[in-house]
């Protein structure tokens, strides 16, 4: 995807973007949902790849740049990335903690060991995990956090695959990686966040402060997204966008701890 046109990579050439069409049935708002949540991540000052939403024929499509690509002139090259399951030697079939996959503490400790600047990596990861909790993303599993390698440098990749899954009754309301004891997202309390902070050796007030700051930024970002509207689409799609945005806002408001 280059300058508004799509091209097909051939002979092993690296792609530049990931294209995600809307879902079907009760998942029909998925592309809009991810677009909104990606914009909220940007508003919250989290690193996130440039993304847009476009009409292709009669369907809304979410398009995001690949953060694991390097562009120099007209030359595109791959950057090595490794998701947390890969880095921990865990099969992708076990990406959920409840199935034997990694938990938040496992990933936090791994980032401390591997990142070139552990303080930045661990802080970013905490913010990513809290962001997914705030927006109601129950599908933030071990393959949705990654390392990005460049020469001798290892850093946490930008946040990606951010969706408010709570909008869809057909999807689970259990988080992929738990804070404290409960898996049910609506049962997570301030004491669970504090317990996780203690588990990773940090002051609970620090993590709870990050939670409050992120939540405030996210809620303040809803207004501008509502005022600006969907950058493409007909009147029905604009209405669906506003409805999805309101549902996400309601979901976020429920997680005040």
């Amino acid at each position: 995807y280059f300058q508004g046109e799509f091209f097909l990579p051939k002979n092993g050439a690296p792609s530049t973007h990931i294209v995600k069409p809307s879902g079907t049935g009760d998942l029909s708002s998925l592309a809009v949902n991810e677009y909104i949540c990606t914009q909220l991540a940007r508003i919250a000052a989290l690193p996130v790849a440039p993304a847009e939403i476009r009409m292709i024929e009669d369907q809304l499509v979410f398009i995001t740049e690949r953060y694991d690509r390097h562009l120099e002139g007209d030359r595109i090259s791959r950057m090595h990335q490794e998701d947390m399951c890969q880095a921990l030697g865990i099969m992708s079939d076990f990406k959920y903690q409840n199935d034997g996959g990694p938990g938040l503490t496992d990933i936090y400790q791994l980032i401390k060991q591997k990142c070139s600047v552990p303080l930045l990596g661990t802080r970013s990861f905490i913010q990513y995990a809290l962001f997914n909790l705030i927006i109601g993303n129950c599908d933030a599993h071990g393959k949705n956090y990654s390392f990005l390698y460049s020469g001798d440098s290892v850093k946490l990749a930008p946040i990606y695959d951010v969706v408010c899954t709570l909008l869809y009754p057909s999807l689970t309301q259990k988080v992929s990686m738990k804070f404290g004891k409960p898996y049910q997202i609506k049962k997570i309390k301030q004491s669970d966040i504090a317990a996780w902070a203690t588990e990773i050796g940090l002051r609970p007030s620090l993590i709870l402060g990050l939670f409050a700051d992120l939540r405030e930024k996210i809620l303040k970002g809803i207004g501008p997204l509502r005022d600006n509207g969907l950058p493409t689409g007909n009147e029905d799609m604009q209405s669906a966008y506003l409805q999805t945005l309101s549902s996400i806002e309601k979901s976020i408001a429920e997680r005040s701890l």
Side-chain angles (χ1 to χ4, degrees):
Y1 182 62
F2 183 67
Q3 295 182 344
E5 294 188 54
F6 290 93
F7 300 89
L8 183 65
K10 292 185 177 181
N11 302 320
S15 61
T16 59
H17 291 70
I18 296 171
V19 179
K20 300 182 180 182
S22 293
T24 58
D26 69 343
L27 300 178
S28 60
S29 66
L30 205 54
V32 169
N33 188 330
E34 186 164 1
Y35 173 75
I36 291 170
C37 291
T38 299
Q39 298 310 306
L40 290 175
R42 182 170 289 107
I43 289 168
L46 300 181
V48 61
E52 62 178 287
I53 194 161
R54 287 193 56 184
M55 285 290 298
I56 298 180
E57 295 184 353
D58 61 346
Q59 188 169 161
L60 282 171
V61 175
F62 176 76
I63 304 172
T64 180
E65 285 187 19
R66 295 199 60 136
Y67 59 76
D68 56 345
R69 298 293 185 262
H70 178 68
L71 179 62
E72 187 173 349
D74 60 355
R75 179 181 172 84
I76 302 164
S77 58
R78 294 180 175 88
M79 298 174 67
H80 180 55
Q81 77 149 2
E82 185 178 44
D83 68 51
M84 296 302 165
C85 285
Q86 292 172 322
L88 287 164
I90 296 171
M91 298 291 290
S92 59
D93 290 347
F94 304 104
K95 60 187 178 182
Y96 297 104
Q97 184 178 5
N98 199 36
D99 294 333
L104 294 171
T105 300
D106 299 318
I107 294 176
Y108 178 87
Q109 297 297 345
L110 183 66
I111 291 169
K112 280 182 69 174
Q113 295 169 18
K114 292 197 69 167
C115 273
S116 299
V117 186
L119 184 62
L120 294 180
T122 51
R123 180 182 173 86
S124 292
F125 174 66
I126 291 168
Q127 290 177 311
Y128 293 4
L130 293 175
F131 178 85
N132 280 316
L133 174 62
I134 292 166
I135 66 168
N137 182 10
C138 293
D139 201 42
H141 49 69
K143 292 187 71 64
N144 280 345
Y145 301 98
S146 293
F147 291 115
L148 193 58
Y149 297 83
S150 179
D152 294 330
S153 172
V154 182
K155 65 179 181 180
L156 199 62
I159 193 169
Y160 59 92
D161 284 356
V162 285
V163 172
C164 176
T165 62
L166 290 182
L167 298 196
Y168 310 112
S170 62
L171 300 183
T172 183
Q173 295 194 1
K174 292 182 178 180
V175 292
S176 302
M177 294 184 283
K178 60 183 179 176
F179 294 85
K181 293 183 179 180
Y183 274 105
Q184 286 287 345
I185 190 169
K186 293 185 179 181
K187 291 184 178 180
I188 296 173
K189 300 177 181 179
Q190 188 177 97
S191 58
D192 298 304
I193 306 292
W196 181 59
T198 301
E199 185 178 327
I200 60 176
L202 296 177
R203 288 181 289 106
S205 60
L206 174 64
I207 307 300
L208 292 170
L210 286 174
F211 179 94
D213 180 61
L214 272 174
R215 185 173 177 275
E216 182 180 4
K217 287 177 180 176
I218 291 165
L219 286 173
K220 284 183 177 178
I222 296 285
L225 291 182
R226 180 178 290 114
D227 294 341
N228 293 335
L230 193 65
T232 187
N234 58 32
E235 187 174 332
D236 288 343
M237 291 173 177
Q238 293 289 342
S239 176
Y241 167 81
L242 293 175
Q243 184 177 351
T244 303
L245 184 62
S246 294
S247 297
I248 291 172
E249 181 180 26
K250 181 181 177 182
S251 178
I252 292 168
E254 291 176 352
R255 260 161 306 290
S256 60
L257 295 184

